[in-house]
Short mmCIF file of all heavy atoms in Angstrom, two decimals:
data_model
loop_
_atom_site.label_atom_id
_atom_site.label_comp_id
_atom_site.label_asym_id
_atom_site.label_seq_id
_atom_site.Cartn_x
_atom_site.Cartn_y
_atom_site.Cartn_z
N ALA A 39 1.89 -16.00 -11.70
CA ALA A 39 2.33 -16.26 -13.08
C ALA A 39 1.23 -15.90 -14.05
O ALA A 39 0.05 -16.16 -13.79
CB ALA A 39 2.74 -17.71 -13.25
N SER A 40 1.62 -15.29 -15.15
CA SER A 40 0.69 -14.99 -16.23
C SER A 40 0.87 -16.00 -17.36
O SER A 40 2.01 -16.30 -17.75
CB SER A 40 0.92 -13.57 -16.77
OG SER A 40 0.08 -13.30 -17.87
N ASP A 41 -0.23 -16.50 -17.88
CA ASP A 41 -0.15 -17.49 -18.95
C ASP A 41 0.40 -16.92 -20.24
O ASP A 41 0.90 -17.66 -21.10
CB ASP A 41 -1.55 -18.09 -19.22
CG ASP A 41 -2.06 -18.91 -18.05
OD1 ASP A 41 -1.25 -19.32 -17.20
OD2 ASP A 41 -3.29 -19.14 -17.99
N VAL A 42 0.33 -15.60 -20.38
CA VAL A 42 0.85 -14.92 -21.57
C VAL A 42 1.68 -13.72 -21.11
O VAL A 42 1.56 -13.27 -19.97
CB VAL A 42 -0.31 -14.43 -22.48
CG1 VAL A 42 -1.13 -15.62 -22.98
CG2 VAL A 42 -1.20 -13.44 -21.74
N PRO A 43 2.54 -13.20 -21.99
CA PRO A 43 3.31 -12.01 -21.61
C PRO A 43 2.39 -10.86 -21.20
O PRO A 43 1.39 -10.58 -21.87
CB PRO A 43 4.09 -11.67 -22.89
CG PRO A 43 4.22 -12.99 -23.59
CD PRO A 43 2.93 -13.70 -23.33
N ALA A 44 2.70 -10.22 -20.10
CA ALA A 44 1.87 -9.15 -19.56
C ALA A 44 2.63 -7.83 -19.54
O ALA A 44 3.77 -7.77 -19.08
CB ALA A 44 1.42 -9.50 -18.14
N ASN A 45 2.00 -6.79 -20.06
CA ASN A 45 2.55 -5.45 -19.88
C ASN A 45 2.54 -5.13 -18.39
O ASN A 45 1.76 -5.71 -17.63
CB ASN A 45 1.74 -4.42 -20.64
CG ASN A 45 1.97 -4.49 -22.14
OD1 ASN A 45 1.19 -5.12 -22.87
ND2 ASN A 45 3.03 -3.87 -22.61
N PHE A 46 3.39 -4.20 -17.96
CA PHE A 46 3.49 -3.98 -16.52
C PHE A 46 4.05 -2.60 -16.22
O PHE A 46 4.60 -1.91 -17.09
CB PHE A 46 4.39 -5.04 -15.88
CG PHE A 46 5.86 -4.88 -16.17
CD1 PHE A 46 6.71 -4.36 -15.21
CD2 PHE A 46 6.39 -5.21 -17.42
CE1 PHE A 46 8.07 -4.19 -15.47
CE2 PHE A 46 7.73 -5.05 -17.69
CZ PHE A 46 8.58 -4.54 -16.72
N ALA A 47 3.89 -2.20 -14.96
CA ALA A 47 4.50 -0.97 -14.44
C ALA A 47 4.68 -1.15 -12.95
O ALA A 47 4.06 -2.02 -12.33
CB ALA A 47 3.63 0.24 -14.75
N GLY A 48 5.53 -0.32 -12.36
CA GLY A 48 5.77 -0.44 -10.93
C GLY A 48 6.08 0.89 -10.28
O GLY A 48 6.48 1.85 -10.93
N ALA A 49 5.84 0.94 -8.97
CA ALA A 49 6.23 2.08 -8.14
C ALA A 49 6.93 1.51 -6.93
O ALA A 49 6.52 0.48 -6.38
CB ALA A 49 5.00 2.88 -7.72
N PHE A 50 7.99 2.18 -6.49
CA PHE A 50 8.86 1.60 -5.47
C PHE A 50 9.25 2.64 -4.42
O PHE A 50 9.13 3.84 -4.63
CB PHE A 50 10.12 1.02 -6.12
CG PHE A 50 9.81 0.08 -7.24
CD1 PHE A 50 9.88 0.51 -8.56
CD2 PHE A 50 9.40 -1.21 -6.99
CE1 PHE A 50 9.56 -0.35 -9.60
CE2 PHE A 50 9.09 -2.08 -8.02
CZ PHE A 50 9.17 -1.65 -9.33
N THR A 51 9.76 2.14 -3.30
CA THR A 51 10.16 3.01 -2.21
C THR A 51 11.15 4.08 -2.66
O THR A 51 11.97 3.86 -3.56
CB THR A 51 10.80 2.17 -1.08
OG1 THR A 51 11.10 3.03 0.02
CG2 THR A 51 12.08 1.48 -1.53
N SER A 52 11.06 5.24 -2.02
CA SER A 52 12.05 6.28 -2.26
C SER A 52 13.12 6.29 -1.18
O SER A 52 13.96 7.21 -1.13
CB SER A 52 11.36 7.66 -2.33
OG SER A 52 10.59 7.91 -1.17
N CYS A 53 13.11 5.27 -0.33
CA CYS A 53 14.14 5.13 0.70
C CYS A 53 15.51 4.94 0.05
O CYS A 53 15.67 4.15 -0.88
CB CYS A 53 13.82 3.93 1.59
SG CYS A 53 15.01 3.62 2.91
N THR A 54 16.51 5.66 0.54
CA THR A 54 17.86 5.55 -0.02
C THR A 54 18.41 4.13 0.13
O THR A 54 19.15 3.66 -0.74
CB THR A 54 18.80 6.56 0.67
OG1 THR A 54 18.27 7.88 0.48
CG2 THR A 54 20.20 6.50 0.09
N PHE A 55 18.06 3.45 1.20
CA PHE A 55 18.49 2.07 1.42
C PHE A 55 17.52 1.10 0.75
O PHE A 55 17.04 0.14 1.38
CB PHE A 55 18.59 1.76 2.91
CG PHE A 55 19.83 2.30 3.57
CD1 PHE A 55 19.79 3.48 4.31
CD2 PHE A 55 21.04 1.64 3.46
CE1 PHE A 55 20.92 3.99 4.92
CE2 PHE A 55 22.19 2.13 4.07
CZ PHE A 55 22.13 3.31 4.80
N ALA A 56 17.22 1.33 -0.52
CA ALA A 56 16.28 0.45 -1.23
C ALA A 56 16.83 -0.97 -1.26
O ALA A 56 18.00 -1.20 -1.56
CB ALA A 56 16.06 0.96 -2.65
N ALA A 57 15.95 -1.93 -0.96
CA ALA A 57 16.36 -3.33 -0.88
C ALA A 57 16.76 -3.88 -2.25
O ALA A 57 16.39 -3.33 -3.30
CB ALA A 57 15.22 -4.17 -0.31
N ALA A 58 17.49 -4.98 -2.23
CA ALA A 58 17.96 -5.60 -3.47
C ALA A 58 16.82 -5.92 -4.43
O ALA A 58 16.92 -5.62 -5.64
CB ALA A 58 18.77 -6.86 -3.15
N PRO A 59 15.72 -6.53 -4.00
CA PRO A 59 14.63 -6.82 -4.94
C PRO A 59 14.03 -5.56 -5.55
O PRO A 59 13.59 -5.58 -6.71
CB PRO A 59 13.61 -7.59 -4.11
CG PRO A 59 13.97 -7.34 -2.69
CD PRO A 59 15.43 -7.13 -2.67
N VAL A 60 13.99 -4.46 -4.79
CA VAL A 60 13.51 -3.20 -5.34
C VAL A 60 14.42 -2.74 -6.47
O VAL A 60 13.96 -2.31 -7.55
CB VAL A 60 13.41 -2.13 -4.24
CG1 VAL A 60 13.21 -0.74 -4.85
CG2 VAL A 60 12.29 -2.46 -3.28
N GLN A 61 15.72 -2.85 -6.26
CA GLN A 61 16.66 -2.44 -7.29
C GLN A 61 16.53 -3.30 -8.54
O GLN A 61 16.63 -2.80 -9.67
CB GLN A 61 18.09 -2.50 -6.74
CG GLN A 61 18.33 -1.53 -5.59
CD GLN A 61 19.75 -1.60 -5.06
OE1 GLN A 61 20.71 -1.48 -5.82
NE2 GLN A 61 19.90 -1.80 -3.75
N VAL A 62 16.29 -4.59 -8.37
CA VAL A 62 16.11 -5.47 -9.52
C VAL A 62 14.82 -5.12 -10.25
O VAL A 62 14.78 -5.07 -11.49
CB VAL A 62 16.10 -6.94 -9.06
CG1 VAL A 62 15.65 -7.86 -10.20
CG2 VAL A 62 17.49 -7.35 -8.59
N CYS A 63 13.74 -4.84 -9.50
CA CYS A 63 12.47 -4.50 -10.15
C CYS A 63 12.53 -3.16 -10.87
O CYS A 63 11.92 -2.99 -11.92
CB CYS A 63 11.34 -4.50 -9.12
SG CYS A 63 10.77 -6.15 -8.67
N ARG A 64 13.27 -2.19 -10.31
CA ARG A 64 13.46 -0.94 -11.03
C ARG A 64 14.11 -1.21 -12.40
O ARG A 64 13.74 -0.60 -13.42
CB ARG A 64 14.36 0.00 -10.23
CG ARG A 64 13.71 0.64 -9.02
CD ARG A 64 14.74 1.46 -8.27
NE ARG A 64 14.20 2.13 -7.11
CZ ARG A 64 14.94 2.71 -6.18
NH1 ARG A 64 16.27 2.69 -6.29
NH2 ARG A 64 14.38 3.31 -5.14
N LYS A 65 15.07 -2.10 -12.40
CA LYS A 65 15.73 -2.47 -13.65
C LYS A 65 14.75 -3.10 -14.63
O LYS A 65 14.78 -2.81 -15.83
CB LYS A 65 16.87 -3.44 -13.34
CG LYS A 65 17.69 -3.87 -14.54
CD LYS A 65 18.81 -4.82 -14.11
CE LYS A 65 19.61 -5.33 -15.30
NZ LYS A 65 20.67 -6.29 -14.87
N ARG A 66 13.86 -3.94 -14.11
CA ARG A 66 12.85 -4.56 -14.98
C ARG A 66 11.99 -3.49 -15.65
O ARG A 66 11.69 -3.55 -16.84
CB ARG A 66 11.95 -5.51 -14.18
CG ARG A 66 12.68 -6.70 -13.56
CD ARG A 66 13.04 -7.74 -14.61
NE ARG A 66 13.67 -8.89 -13.97
CZ ARG A 66 14.98 -9.02 -13.78
NH1 ARG A 66 15.81 -8.07 -14.18
NH2 ARG A 66 15.46 -10.10 -13.20
#
Side-chain angles (χ1 to χ4, degrees):
S40 176
D41 293 342
V42 298
N45 287 97
F46 74 103
F50 308 99
T51 184
S52 54
C53 179
T54 302
F55 282 100
V60 167
Q61 296 180 53
V62 169
C63 282
R64 286 176 179 168
K65 182 179 177 182
R66 296 286 183 269

